[in-house]
Amino acid sequence: MTQTKAHVIIIGAGFTGCALAYDLARRGLAVTVVDRGEIASGTSGRTHGLLHSGARYCVNDQESAIECIHENIILRKIAHQCIEYNGGFFVALNEQDLAYQARFEIGAQQCGIEIDAIHPQKARQLEPNLNPAVLAVYHVPDGVFDPLRLALAFAASARFFGAEFLPYHEMENFLTNGQGTVTGIKLWNRLTNAHSELKADLVVNATGAWAGMILKKIGASVVVTPTPGIMVAYNRRLINRVINRLNEPGDGDILIPQRRMVVIGTTSYEAEEVDYIPVEKEQAIQMDRDAISLVPGVATCNRRGVYMSARPLIGKGEAGRSLARTFKCFDHRETDGIEGLVTITGGKATTCRLMAEKTADLVCQKLGLTATCETACEPLRSYREYYRPSGVNR
Amino acid sequence: MTEGHWHVTFCIYRKKGDQPPFYQDFPLEVDPDEYVLDGIERIWAFHDRSLTFRHACHHSTCGACGMLVNGVEKLTCITPIRAVTKNGGTIRVEPLRNFPVLSDLVVDMAEFYLRMEQAHALQVVPVAQSTLPYEPPPFPDDGLPHQRLNDCIECGMCVSACPIALTASSYQGPAALAATQQTYSLTGEKSLLSLVDCADGVWRCHSGFECTAVCPSNVDPAWRIMELRRQVIRHRIQRIFHQDR
Ligand SMILES: Cc1cc2nc3c(=O)[nH]c(=O)nc-3n(C[C@H](O)[C@H](O)[C@H](O)COP(=O)(O)OP(=O)(O)OC[C@H]3O[C@@H](n4cnc5c(N)ncnc54)[C@H](O)[C@@H]3O)c2cc1C
Ligand code: SF4
Ligand code: FES
C-alpha cells in the first residue's frame, strides 16, 4: 500500500465503526474498516430501532438524555433517508406511572427535551389503538430508523471520502512491535479463507459487545459487559408514533412502529458469551403481555420475528439497567500502557455520530493531526452508494 | 433430546474463492419455532466459523437474509423451521439465484442496489400512500404528514425468482420496476417512464407472477409492473397528442 496519509484500521462495522469511518475519512485520514460479518451483523442490525428523544433517560441518566436529544435532531437532518419521524408518546397506565410524571416533566426540561402534555382523549383520537385506559400522555420527538440502512448510509459516506470496507474479514490478533505498540492486525478473509496482515498507524476497536473479547487478545484491562435484550415484532402497524411507558426504564416498555409492523422491546440481563444468544421463550411471552398493555390490538396480531442482541455496557457487577447508557473512549496508553490502540464502546445507535466525533478527536490528537469534525450538517450519501463499485474498494 | 425439539439436517451450499461449490450437512437439534436464520447462525457460532451469510435485523426490515430454502426464496429471519421441514427432515439452504455468489450464502447486491437507486426507489413514504392502491388504508387519515419506511426491503428475492432475470441479466428486474411505478405515482417524475420504456424494462416481463409469490413484504411487483405499463402507454399517448397539436 502506498500511503502518505495516516492509516487507521477500525475493527467492527456496526453504527460506531461506520460513523467513525465517515468522520475520519472526512477529516482526510486513510481508513480501513474490517468486520467478521456483513455490515451491521452484530448488535447494530438487531437493535430495536428507536431514534431516542432522550426522554427515557431524562430522570436517571441525564448525560445520555442530553446526548440523545442533540443527536436525534442531527440524525433527523443528516439521515432522513432511513428514519420514520412521527414522534412518540409517553403514556401513564397506573398510579405509579402518574407518580413519575412530575420528575419526568422536570427532567425533560432540564435536558432540553420538548415534551407536550396531551389530553388522553385527544391522544386516543390520534392513536386509535392506544390502550383506552391511559391516564396521562406526553408527546416527545421520538423517531424510528432502519438499522442496516442507517449503518450503510454512514458507510456509503465514508466510502465517498475514500474509506475502504472489508466485510467478512475477521480480526484474529494484533500485530505489535514487541515493545507494547500495536502496529496492525492479523486478518482472516472468510470469503476466501485466506489469512493476511494489515499495518496501520493506529487501530480502533469498535466491536461493541465484543470489545472485551478483542482486548483480551492483547491483555488490556477495560471491562465491557454484554447485556442482551429481546425484541418481538408483530405483523400489523397499529400505531404511527412510538409508545413508551411513562416510568423509569424497565422491561417491555417501548413499542415502535416500523414499516408494516410494530416491535416491542426489551429486557436486560448480563451475559459472558454473545456470539449466539438463544431466544428466551419466557421473555418473548412477557413481551407479548407488555405490548398488549400499551396497545391491546397486538393481541390480534401474529408474531413476525423474535430476536435478541447484546448492548455493550461499560463496567460490571451492577444490574444491567443501572449501567449508564453513555459511551466511553479509551486510549490504551492511559489504561494499559499500550500505544496505537483506542477502544470506543457503550452508547446507543442514536448517539453513534457523537461517539465517532469524540473518538476521531482522540485519534487525531494521538496522531498529531488538527482536522476537525464535519459530520453534523451535511446529509449522508444515499445508503445504496455503499454498493457502488470503485477500483480500490471492491 | 430436549422435549419438543426436533432433529433436522441443514444441507448448506458452500463456496470459497475459486474452489468448486459443494453441499455440506450440519445435523442440528432445533426448536421447530426457531427461524431458519437462527439455525444458520448457530452453525456459524458452534460448528463452522468459516460459514458466511448475510443478515442484520432478524425481523424482516433490512432485507439482508433472503436465501433459497428447499428451492424457494425465503426471508430466513422470519421463516420458522416448522414451516419448511418436519422432525428428522432436511433444510436445504442456497444463495439467491440470479446474483453473483461471493461466498457460501453471500451474494453480491451491488448491481441490484444500483438499479434501485436509478429507479429513485423511495425508502421513506407518506403513510397515507404507502400501501397498494387496492388495499384498504391502514389508518384513518388524521391529516398529519406521517411517514413510514417503505414496503420494499430490497431483499432481491423477486429477482431471484424471476424466470426472465435468469435468462436476461440486463433486465431491470421486478424490484426496480415496482419501485419506478411507486415513485412515479408519488412524484410524477416523467423521466422515470422513459427509463423503463425499453426492451430491458417493462416490456420484458412475461407476467409469470413469481415475484409477487415470493415477495415477503406486500409489494406485489407483478401488479406494479402491469400498472407501470399502463402509465407508460398513457404517457406515450399524451406525448403524441401534444405533438399533434
Ligand atoms: C436489545 C437492544 C435494544 C437496543 N435498542 C436501541 C434503540 O432502540 N435505539 C438506540 O439508539 N440504541 C439501541 N440499542 C443500542 C445500540 O443498538 C448499540 O449501542 C449499537 O448497535 C452498538 O453498535 P456498535 O457499532 O458499537 O456495536 P456492533 O453493532 O455490535 O458492532 C460491532 C461489530 O464488531 C464485529 N466484530 C466482533 N468481533 C470481531 C472480530 N474479531 N473481527 C472483526 N469484527 C468483529 C461484529 O461482527 C459487529 O458487527 C439497543 C441495544 C440492544 C442490545
Ligand atoms: S419487491 Fe419484494 S421481493 Fe422484491 S426486493 Fe422488494 S421486498 Fe424483496
Ligand atoms: S435479517 Fe433483516 S430481513 Fe432478515
Side-chain angles (χ1 to χ4, degrees):
Chain A
M1 221 178 272
T2 51
Q3 232 135 29
T4 48
K5 308 190 224 180
H7 181 214
V8 175
I9 294 174
I10 299 170
I11 314 168
F15 297 128
T16 310
C18 291
L20 179 59
Y22 172 44
D23 196 320
L24 288 174
R26 238 199 127 120
R27 294 189 202 208
L29 281 77
V31 179
T32 307
V33 186
V34 304
D35 197 293
R36 63 183 180 181
E38 180 60 273
I39 305 288
S41 59
T43 303
S44 296
R46 273 172 267 193
T47 190
H48 194 177
L50 171 63
L51 180 72
H52 279 277
S53 62
R56 180 174 177 79
Y57 306 113
C58 72
V59 173
N60 287 342
D61 186 358
Q62 293 201 337
E63 191 185 351
S64 293
I66 293 165
E67 284 169 8
C68 281
I69 186 62
H70 280 169
E71 292 301 310
N72 169 302
I73 292 165
I74 293 173
L75 286 187
R76 265 152 55 193
K77 262 196 316 231
I78 69 170
H80 174 259
Q81 56 176 307
C82 45
I83 294 173
E84 304 188 355
Y85 178 67
N86 300 317
F89 284 167
F90 271 73
V91 302
L93 290 171
N94 61 26
E95 291 301 316
Q96 284 147 345
D97 294 351
L98 286 177
Y100 182 73
Q101 229 176 327
R103 284 190 289 159
F104 180 75
E105 285 192 4
I106 295 167
Q109 204 206 349
Q110 285 169 340
C111 297
I113 303 163
E114 268 183 47
I115 61 169
D116 283 316
I118 295 183
H119 194 281
Q121 206 181 334
K122 169 83 176 161
R124 275 163 40 215
Q125 271 168 18
L126 294 171
E127 291 293 352
N129 289 316
L130 193 59
N131 187 336
V134 287
L135 302 169
V137 180
Y138 292 89
H139 178 272
V140 300
D142 278 341
V144 171
F145 57 86
D146 176 281
L148 176 60
R149 287 170 180 79
L150 181 59
L152 285 177
F154 277 106
S157 310
R159 284 198 68 210
F160 182 77
F161 285 95
E164 179 185 25
F165 280 75
L166 300 175
Y168 303 100
H169 282 62
E170 182 157 337
M171 180 276 196
E172 296 187 295
N173 217 328
F174 288 102
L175 296 172
T176 60
N177 69 350
Q179 290 156 3
T181 298
V182 169
T183 56
I185 58 172
K186 287 190 180 161
L187 274 177
W188 172 30
N189 178 346
R190 300 199 310 121
L191 297 171
T192 61
N193 266 338
H195 296 263
S196 61
E197 296 186 347
L198 193 61
K199 298 263 186 199
D201 299 300
L202 196 128
V203 174
V204 181
N205 170 20
T207 51
W210 292 273
M213 297 289 210
I214 297 288
L215 293 176
K216 264 192 201 155
K217 294 179 196 283
I218 198 163
S221 59
V222 171
V223 178
V224 179
T225 305
T227 312
I230 192 170
M231 268 81 47
V232 181
Y234 305 92
N235 67 340
R236 280 173 61 208
R237 183 185 176 93
L238 295 164
I239 45 177
N240 272 324
R241 296 166 187 79
V242 175
I243 309 295
N244 305 264
R245 186 76 181 254
L246 179 65
N247 212 318
E248 291 183 11
D251 288 350
D253 54 359
I254 306 173
L255 185 72
I256 66 157
Q258 191 179 51
R259 299 194 196 270
R260 283 192 193 218
M261 300 176 278
V262 288
V263 187
I264 184 84
T266 169
T267 49
S268 185
Y269 59 97
E270 292 185 9
E272 286 287 318
E273 168 60 43
V274 288
D275 276 357
Y276 181 82
I277 313 170
V279 166
E280 302 290 341
K281 284 197 156 184
E282 286 307 311
Q283 291 188 15
I285 293 165
Q286 180 61 45
M287 288 304 109
D288 292 345
R289 278 199 289 268
D290 291 340
I292 289 166
S293 75
L294 294 170
V295 170
V298 170
T300 65
C301 297
N302 293 324
R303 281 189 193 162
R304 188 159 161 94
V306 183
Y307 60 106
M308 318 275 303
S309 65
R311 300 169 191 83
L313 297 194
I314 301 157
K316 203 177 178 70
E318 305 130 82
R321 291 251 181 245
S322 65
L323 294 176
R325 288 303 199 273
T326 187
F327 59 88
K328 219 165 154 146
C329 194
F330 299 90
D331 179 348
H332 290 283
R333 188 181 57 192
E334 312 288 321
T335 53
D336 309 275
I338 300 167
E339 191 48 276
L341 178 64
V342 164
T343 291
I344 170 70
T345 188
K348 311 206 62 65
T350 307
T351 58
C352 68
R353 192 213 59 85
L354 180 65
M355 295 167 71
E357 175 175 342
K358 298 293 177 209
T359 312
D361 285 347
L362 175 64
V363 167
C364 286
Q365 183 211 318
K366 283 181 71 70
L367 293 172
L369 303 168
T370 51
T372 51
C373 177
E374 288 179 355
T375 59
C377 300
E378 206 176 295
L380 298 172
R381 309 291 306 180
S382 161
Y383 66 87
R384 296 190 189 104
E385 284 183 25
Y386 169 75
Y387 292 99
R388 177 171 284 177
S390 93
V392 256
N393 283 324
R394 290 204 61 86
Chain B
M1 183 164 124
T2 321
E3 213 197 321
H5 278 205
W6 286 6
H7 282 286
V8 299
T9 301
F10 278 75
C11 172
I12 296 193
Y13 178 94
R14 303 301 307 267
K15 177 162 174 58
K16 294 290 177 203
D18 300 333
Q19 290 154 30
F22 64 99
Y23 288 85
Q24 189 174 4
D25 282 353
F26 296 94
L28 233 57
E29 186 183 314
V30 300
D31 176 335
D33 292 328
E34 280 182 288
Y35 301 102
V36 172
L37 183 60
D38 295 334
I40 294 169
E41 190 171 40
R42 256 210 323 281
I43 293 170
W44 164 77
F46 302 119
H47 301 280
D48 187 345
R49 286 281 170 151
S50 72
L51 179 65
T52 53
F53 53 102
R54 297 182 71 232
H55 65 127
C57 74
H58 288 238
H59 69 286
S60 78
T61 204
C62 80
C65 71
M67 297 171 205
L68 282 193
V69 178
N70 291 337
V72 183
E73 285 74 11
K74 294 281 181 197
L75 211 52
T76 51
C77 68
I78 56 164
T79 303
I81 288 175
R82 189 188 291 287
V84 290
T85 190
K86 55 187 190 311
N87 193 5
T90 296
I91 303 177
R92 196 177 169 88
V93 189
E94 298 163 285
L96 291 183
R97 292 176 278 213
N98 306 332
F99 288 88
V101 175
L102 292 177
S103 158
D104 301 335
L105 303 168
V106 178
V107 295
D108 186 352
M109 300 295 286
E111 180 82 31
F112 175 85
Y113 265 81
L114 223 68
R115 282 182 178 149
M116 294 304 281
E117 188 76 355
Q118 279 161 359
H120 295 191
L122 300 165
Q123 203 30 239
V124 180
V125 289
V127 169
Q129 291 115 343
S130 59
T131 41
L132 286 151
Y134 58 77
E135 291 179 298
F139 275 98
D141 192 350
D142 61 9
L144 294 168
H146 296 299
Q147 298 202 312
R148 79 160 169 87
L149 291 157
N150 206 356
D151 278 338
C152 180
I153 55 174
E154 299 169 297
C155 64
M157 280 164 43
C158 52
V159 172
S160 173
C162 174
I164 307 297
L166 178 68
T167 53
S169 62
S170 54
Y171 175 40
Q172 294 170 1
L177 291 173
T180 304
Q181 187 277 333
Q182 189 191 26
T183 304
Y184 176 70
S185 302
L186 291 174
T187 66
E189 270 177 76
K190 296 264 191 306
S191 60
L192 287 174
L193 296 183
S194 14
L195 221 64
V196 298
D197 188 4
C198 61
D200 283 328
V202 278
W203 307 112
R204 182 136 266 169
C205 169
H206 286 189
S207 314
F209 285 83
E210 275 89 345
C211 50
T212 289
V214 299
C215 176
S217 206
N218 307 78
V219 178
D220 199 345
W223 180 87
R224 287 188 185 274
I225 294 171
M226 293 310 117
E227 180 62 21
L228 186 58
R229 281 187 182 167
R230 282 189 282 274
Q231 286 162 338
V232 165
I233 290 173
R234 218 174 296 141
H235 179 57
R236 277 192 194 169
I237 292 171
Q238 274 167 4
R239 269 205 335 238
I240 294 166
F241 184 66
H242 270 267
Q243 276 163 8
D244 283 351
R245 278 197 309 182

